[in-house]
């Protein structure tokens, strides 16, 4: 009965909108289908049939729009439910409050993503391929957010004990509804062709001319203009992005010679909800160790942060699960704002292996880029949480599951270093978290170097190191054109628990080299594949991220396809 009352919220209005929307559609599907036929293409056909109106057939577009509107209503109600629990925070433990605050943030993001999706698909039966990828990305992230909320609550005993009876059914049913929405959208809008033929998010010649690409719009103060000219010639233009469009720049220096002495104060000065064509708000962080927890909110878009180099500009923290934080909020640097770019910066979590999950960077920023950065931790170093991400010439250090999450992420020309874990532990480079077959997510590792860090290389122990293991049911990871050193166990991959996900995961290798790249003794799971160039091309920057449409605005170098 709890699930019926939860989903009855505004159902009558949604049915009315469902049928009235048919007459408004610009491009209705030519052939109506029965609801049960539409539902059979989803992971939850019975649940889908209980959601869709049963008394009249519609097109797949009609069903998709109805399901997304229903999802927005449910997400809104779930956010209200979480807020109600948080209002009683005096009765909750600190870990429980932190877990619920994660859910609150994630629920707000889901409402934003669903509102955007409703607006995009409300009146058309077809979309340009880039907009199609945008919507599929948002719907994929909504499921990830829901799962993250559940994981955080379940891992916090005090939180789960309090909210389990009231929140588990809404979480479960909400996840099923989001899966149905994603499946219906995928069937109706996503076409299996080269996605890279979408519109390009590049500045037009007129825009480049107006802004004199690489120069600053007139809104910059004279002091900051002088600072930019000085710093850019001395630091930025030598090795990074010589002609990126910048709207404003500030300098962070601990000695007081810049605009701010902390990174968080500089971030707080950034404008809200800017667009790529406005130019980046650039924060130059002078060399030093900045012991602070930096958060880039959803409103802080197109922010670029440039340091003096790896191991020169360092952001450092030590939060961990052992010390009462959720994995999600243990991050030293947490990024949500779209279009974020970081260059020449090291981010550390110094909690150590003994503290278990302790994140250095959590990235949930769409169209985000890290170039020439270093991520240092042990377990769960880099949380590639959601949406579309690109990493170029970065160093990643860790032990257990140290590249994990459910973004669509491409690592290119990076160095991935396995460190020495605690006694009795193993190393797993990746733990990809795809939970649904229609999510367009996965981890793609191209032209990278897989090596032992110095502590592991010099140890006399027998630590086993694997390319990855399946954190979630549809885990997807591809290694291609990379150097794999001898630290990798001949089996290559490790199971999570028993036969969990071994038939539903997608793990693949293509044209790798090095003493650990041999595939003769690799696992024989149904989900493991040796792929050819045609299949590998699906996981390149161009096809997997549609990166040709947005990475050029960052001026970060990249390879579009296979080498």
């Amino acid at each position: 009965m709890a699930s019926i009352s939860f989903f009855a919220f505004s159902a009558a209005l949604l049915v009315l909108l469902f049928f009235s929307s048919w007459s408004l559609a610009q491009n209705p599907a030519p052939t109506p289908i029965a609801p049960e036929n539409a539902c059979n293409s989803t992971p939850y056909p019975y649940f889908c049939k209980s959601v869709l109106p049963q008394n009249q057939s519609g097109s797949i577009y009609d069903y998709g729009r109805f399901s997304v509107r229903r999802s927005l209503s449910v997400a809104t109600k779930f956010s209200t439910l979480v807020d109600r629990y948080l209002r009683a925070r005096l009765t909750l433990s600190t870990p429980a409050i932190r877990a619920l605050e994660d859910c609150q943030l994630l629920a707000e993001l889901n409402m934003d993503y669903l509102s955007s999706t409703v607006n995009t698909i409300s009146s058309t039966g077809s979309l340009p391929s880039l907009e199609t990828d945008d919507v599929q990305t948002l719907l994929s992230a909504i499921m990830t957010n829901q799962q993250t909320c559940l994981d955080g609550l379940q891992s916090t005993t005090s939180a789960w004990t309090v909210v389990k009876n009231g929140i588990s059914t809404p979480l479960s049913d909400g996840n099923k509804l989001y899966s149905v929405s994603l499946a219906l959208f995928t069937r109706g809008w996503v076409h299996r062709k080269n996605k890279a033929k979408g519109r390009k998010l590049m500045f037009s010649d007129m825009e480049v001319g107006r802004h004199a690409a690489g120069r600053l719009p007139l809104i910059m103060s004279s002091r900051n203009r002088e600072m930019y000219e000085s710093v850019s010639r001395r630091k930025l233009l030598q090795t990074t992005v010589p002609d990126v469009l910048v709207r404003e720049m500030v300098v962070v220096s601990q000695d007081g010679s810049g605009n701010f002495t902390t990174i968080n104060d500089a971030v707080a000065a950034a404008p809200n909800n800017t667009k790529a064509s406005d130019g980046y708000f650039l924060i130059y962080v002078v060399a030093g160790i900045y012991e602070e927890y930096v958060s880039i909110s959803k409103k802080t878009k197109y922010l670029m942060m440039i340091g003096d180099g790896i191991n020169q500009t360092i952001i450092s923290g030590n939060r961990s699960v052992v010390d009462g934080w959720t994995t999600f909020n243990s991050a030293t640097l947490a990024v949500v704002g779209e279009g974020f770019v970081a260059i020449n910066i090291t981010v550390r979590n110094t909690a150590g292996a003994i503290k278990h999950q302790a994140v250095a960077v959590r990235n949930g920023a769409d169209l985000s880029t890290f170039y020439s950065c270093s991520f240092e931790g042990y377990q769960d170093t880099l949380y590639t949480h959601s949406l579309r991400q690109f990493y170029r010439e970065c160093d990643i250090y860790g032990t257990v599951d140290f590249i994990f999450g459910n973004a669509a992420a491409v690592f290119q020309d990076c160095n991935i270093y396995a460190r020495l874990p605690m006694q009795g532990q193993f190393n797993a480079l990746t733990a990809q978290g795809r939970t649904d077959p229609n999510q367009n997510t996965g981890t793609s590792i191209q032209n990278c170097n897989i090596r032992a860090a110095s502590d592991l290389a010099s140890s006399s122990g027998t630590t086993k190191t694997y390319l990855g293991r399946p954190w979630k049911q549809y885990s997807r990871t591809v290694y291609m054109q990379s150097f794999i050193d001898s630290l990798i166990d001949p089996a290559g991959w490790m199971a999570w628990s028993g036969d969990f996900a071994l038939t539903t995961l997608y793990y693949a290798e293509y044209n790798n080299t090095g003493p650990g790249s041999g595939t003769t003794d690799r696992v024989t799971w149904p989900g493991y594949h040796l792929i050819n160039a045609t299949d590998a091309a699906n996981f390149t920057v161009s096809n997997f991220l549609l990166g040709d449409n947005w990475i050029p605005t960052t001026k970060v170098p990249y390879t579009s396809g296979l080498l």
Side-chain angles (χ1 to χ4, degrees), residues 106-138:
L106 294 162
E108 290 173 356
L109 291 173
N110 280 355
M111 289 189 293
D112 291 345
Y113 297 163
L114 284 163
S115 294
S116 175
T117 298
V118 167
N119 291 335
T120 301
I121 68 174
S122 61
S123 61
T124 180
S126 62
L127 293 170
S129 60
L130 187 60
E131 289 188 17
T132 299
D133 194 68
D134 289 344
V135 172
Q136 190 179 16
T137 296
L138 293 179

Side-chain angles (χ1 to χ4, degrees), residues 228-430:
Y228 173 84
E229 296 293 343
S230 171
V231 170
S232 65
R233 290 197 185 101
R234 179 168 52 90
K235 298 283 187 184
L236 309 182
L237 298 184
Q238 296 173 3
T239 59
T240 55
V241 284
D243 56 352
V244 70
L245 181 65
V246 175
R247 62 170 288 152
E248 177 69 286
M249 174 183 165
V250 296
V251 174
V252 178
S253 180
Q254 292 173 322
D255 65 5
S257 61
N259 304 91
F260 302 99
T261 57
T262 70
I263 298 171
N264 276 308
D265 285 345
V267 171
N272 290 334
N273 298 314
T274 57
K275 298 178 292 186
S277 57
D278 295 329
Y280 288 97
F281 183 85
L282 192 154
I283 299 175
Y284 167 54
V285 186
V286 175
I289 299 177
Y290 295 81
E291 295 183 348
E292 52 182 310
Y293 297 94
V294 179
S295 181
I296 313 299
S297 76
K298 65 180 182 179
K299 294 182 179 180
T300 307
K301 301 179 179 180
Y302 294 95
L303 184 148
M304 179 176 285
M305 190 179 296
I306 299 179
D308 275 335
I310 291 175
N311 293 329
Q312 298 299 311
T313 296
I314 301 165
I315 309 173
S316 183
N318 63 0
R319 290 175 177 170
S320 69
V321 167
V322 169
D323 287 337
W325 302 89
T326 63
T327 301
F328 185 80
N329 60 35
S330 69
T332 302
L333 170 64
V335 186
V336 180
E338 178 181 313
F340 177 79
V341 180
I343 299 171
N344 290 350
I345 292 173
T346 289
V347 185
R348 292 175 177 163
N349 189 313
T350 63
I354 197 171
K355 293 299 181 74
H356 296 279
Q357 297 96 330
V359 175
V361 171
R362 187 192 82 228
N363 187 4
D366 200 20
L367 312 179
S368 55
T369 304
F370 284 81
Y371 174 43
S372 189
C373 289
S374 178
F375 314 104
E376 299 178 11
Y378 288 85
Q379 183 171 346
D380 291 2
T381 302
L382 176 57
Y383 195 171
T384 57
H385 182 262
S386 55
L387 303 168
R388 292 164 291 195
Q389 309 176 9
F390 179 59
Y391 299 82
R392 172 81 179 199
E393 297 174 34
C394 292
D395 298 336
I396 308 106
Y397 296 83
T399 56
V400 181
D401 307 335
F402 66 94
I403 301 172
F404 76 111
N406 195 25
V410 174
F411 294 82
Q412 199 173 81
D413 296 13
C414 293
N415 298 308
I416 301 175
Y417 295 107
R419 305 176 89 168
L420 182 66
M422 291 191 298
Q423 187 174 359
Q425 284 188 326
F426 57 87
N427 288 330
L429 274 58
T430 64

Side-chain angles (χ1 to χ4, degrees), residues 189 201 400 442 526:
W189 279 267
L201 293 176
V400 181

Side-chain angles (χ1 to χ4, degrees), residues 6-291:
F6 183 71
F7 282 92
F9 179 71
S10 68
L13 176 60
L14 288 165
V15 171
L16 178 63
L17 289 171
F18 169 70
F19 289 116
S20 65
S21 68
W22 292 358
S23 61
L24 298 175
Q26 297 176 358
N27 298 295
T31 306
I33 59 175
E36 56 267 24
N37 291 336
C39 288
N40 286 338
S41 65
T42 73
Y44 302 100
Y46 180 79
F47 182 85
C48 174
K49 292 172 190 176
S50 73
V51 171
L52 295 185
Q54 298 296 306
N55 57 349
Q56 187 171 344
S57 295
S59 72
I60 192 67
Y61 300 120
D62 298 322
Y63 295 133
R65 282 189 285 268
F66 176 82
S67 182
V68 169
R69 290 192 186 101
R70 186 74 175 268
S71 295
L72 177 57
S73 175
V74 165
T76 302
K77 190 171 184 181
F78 181 73
S79 178
T80 301
L81 178 62
V82 174
D83 289 344
R84 188 160 66 243
Y85 277 107
L86 282 171
R87 283 197 295 271
R89 65 177 58 229
L90 293 178
T91 65
L92 300 173
S93 67
T94 298
I97 292 171
R98 289 170 177 164
L100 284 165
E101 286 175 342
D102 291 350
C103 291
Q104 184 182 51
L105 168 63
L106 294 162
E108 290 173 356
L109 291 173
N110 280 355
M111 289 189 293
D112 291 345
Y113 297 163
L114 284 163
S115 294
S116 175
T117 298
V118 167
N119 291 335
T120 301
I121 68 174
S122 61
S123 61
T124 180
S126 62
L127 293 170
S129 60
L130 187 60
E131 289 188 17
T132 299
D133 194 68
D134 289 344
V135 172
Q136 190 179 16
T137 296
L138 293 179
L139 293 176
S140 296
I142 288 162
M143 294 195 66
T144 301
N145 290 343
Q146 192 84 345
Q147 185 65 49
T148 302
C149 170
L150 177 61
D151 288 345
L153 291 172
Q154 288 181 332
S155 66
T156 308
T157 303
S158 59
W160 192 239
T161 300
V162 171
V163 305
K164 174 172 60 175
N165 293 333
I167 214 168
S168 59
T169 297
L171 268 172
S172 175
D173 286 353
N175 192 62
K176 291 176 184 176
L177 180 59
Y178 302 153
S179 176
V180 167
S181 295
L182 175 59
L184 294 174
F185 178 82
T186 301
R187 178 173 172 181
W189 279 267
V190 178
H191 304 291
R192 304 300 180 188
K193 60 184 180 180
N194 187 347
K195 297 192 301 181
K197 295 179 180 178
R199 60 180 172 83
K200 296 211 171 187
L201 293 176
M202 302 289 291
F203 299 131
S204 67
D205 292 340
M206 182 178 297
E207 287 175 319
V208 171
R210 183 170 65 247
H211 290 295
R215 299 179 186 172
L216 302 175
L218 296 177
I219 59 173
M220 177 167 281
S221 68
S222 59
R223 176 175 181 241
N224 281 359
R225 181 181 296 276
E226 293 172 3
M227 195 176 297
Y228 173 84
E229 296 293 343
S230 171
V231 170
S232 65
R233 290 197 185 101
R234 179 168 52 90
K235 298 283 187 184
L236 309 182
L237 298 184
Q238 296 173 3
T239 59
T240 55
V241 284
D243 56 352
V244 70
L245 181 65
V246 175
R247 62 170 288 152
E248 177 69 286
M249 174 183 165
V250 296
V251 174
V252 178
S253 180
Q254 292 173 322
D255 65 5
S257 61
N259 304 91
F260 302 99
T261 57
T262 70
I263 298 171
N264 276 308
D265 285 345
V267 171
N272 290 334
N273 298 314
T274 57
K275 298 178 292 186
S277 57
D278 295 329
Y280 288 97
F281 183 85
L282 192 154
I283 299 175
Y284 167 54
V285 186
V286 175
I289 299 177
Y290 295 81
E291 295 183 348

